[in-house]
Amino acid sequence: MAKSTSSSGTGSRRARPAKPALSLAVIVAAGLELLRQDGIAGLSLRKVAQALDTGAASLYVYLDNFEALHAHMLDHALGEVAIPTDGDWRQKLCGLLRNYLLVLHATPGLGQLAMMTMATGPNALRLLEAQLGLLLEGGLDERRAAWAVDALPLYISAIAAEQDLRRQQTDPLAGITQTLAAAPPEHYPHSHRLQAEMLAGDGEARLSWALDMLINGLIHTPRP
């Protein structure tokens, strides 16, 4: 006679794969996977705990709060940002900011997370140190360099957050295109006349121009 299984039909618990031991690294990895699948709106401590087959209370052994999870997730992702080594200080700075944008864009919701969170871990510190070094190499005084490392990543994070929202839309420019086209020229002469220019250029051209604008501004704006 064949051996019977358990009454629930699920078989022995010993046959199931063992859960990974809970750790901060495991929690962060689960959070990033949820972010990839569901975006920022689908991320919560409860869902992370469910993904790890544990209770939300057990996560507080490793995290002070939900914001701490955000910070650890962002810092982990920043470990993928490559720091260029070729070119002059300006080329390397632009390359670093581009690489930062690529990393944020690679994971849906990460750009929005970057706008909500200040990463304070070792990977964020690595990028901070690299930016400061490049700006000082470019001749900026210490005050301007110190303030610039707040402004530059913030602009890139805003682009990534906007891209997060746009990837959910079929035609993200449809609304503004229609608004500009319908703007009465007698009331909005500048907007009507420049509508084609405002919508011109691809993302790469606009990013290159914006980085030049920001860096030129840093160079020529007096010390605060």
Side-chain angles (χ1 to χ4, degrees):
M1 180 180 296
K3 295 181 179 180
S4 62
T5 60
S6 64
S7 59
S8 65
T10 59
S12 171
R13 295 180 65 88
R14 294 180 182 177
R16 301 180 188 178
K19 294 190 299 182
L22 202 60
S23 67
L24 179 59
V26 167
I27 294 168
V28 169
L32 286 169
E33 183 59 30
L34 274 175
L35 191 65
R36 293 186 189 97
Q37 294 175 2
D38 303 328
I40 193 71
L43 184 65
S44 69
L45 282 178
R46 179 181 60 81
K47 290 184 178 180
V48 172
Q50 287 178 343
L52 295 172
D53 194 20
T54 188
S58 63
L59 304 187
Y60 287 103
V61 174
Y62 305 91
L63 300 167
D64 291 335
N65 48 44
F66 191 35
E67 289 71 28
L69 174 60
H70 287 172
H72 283 294
M73 288 170 58
L74 180 58
D75 191 70
H76 180 83
L78 294 183
E80 298 297 319
V81 179
I83 299 175
T85 56
D86 296 330
D88 61 20
W89 73 271
R90 183 170 180 144
Q91 291 169 324
K92 287 186 281 190
L93 179 59
C94 286
L96 189 157
L97 294 171
R98 287 174 180 276
N99 292 341
Y100 176 53
L101 178 59
L102 287 173
V103 167
L104 293 185
H105 183 70
T107 299
L110 194 59
Q112 295 174 72
L113 189 67
M115 289 296 291
M116 300 162 48
T117 308
M118 181 175 291
T120 55
N123 293 316
L125 188 59
R126 175 181 67 99
L127 298 181
L128 181 68
E129 181 70 12
Q131 290 175 82
L132 285 170
L134 290 170
L135 290 165
L136 293 171
E137 182 184 335
L140 270 72
D141 58 77
E142 293 183 350
R143 172 64 69 83
R144 282 189 295 168
W147 285 23
V149 294
D150 175 52
L152 291 173
L154 183 61
Y155 178 78
I156 298 299
S157 298
I159 293 176
E162 182 183 49
Q163 291 176 344
D164 276 340
L165 296 173
R166 285 186 173 185
R167 74 172 105 204
Q168 302 169 17
Q169 304 170 8
T170 304
D171 186 358
L173 295 179
I176 187 61
T177 300
Q178 294 170 4
T179 298
L180 291 173
E186 62 272 22
H187 296 304
Y188 307 99
H190 305 308
S191 300
H192 180 82
R193 179 168 48 86
L194 296 176
Q195 58 183 294
E197 291 294 340
M198 285 190 283
L199 297 171
D202 59 19
E204 173 57 30
R206 285 176 170 264
L207 177 61
S208 295
W209 182 85
L211 289 177
D212 281 342
M213 174 191 67
L214 291 169
I215 294 173
N216 288 340
L218 289 174
I219 293 171
H220 297 293
T221 302
R223 182 182 186 276

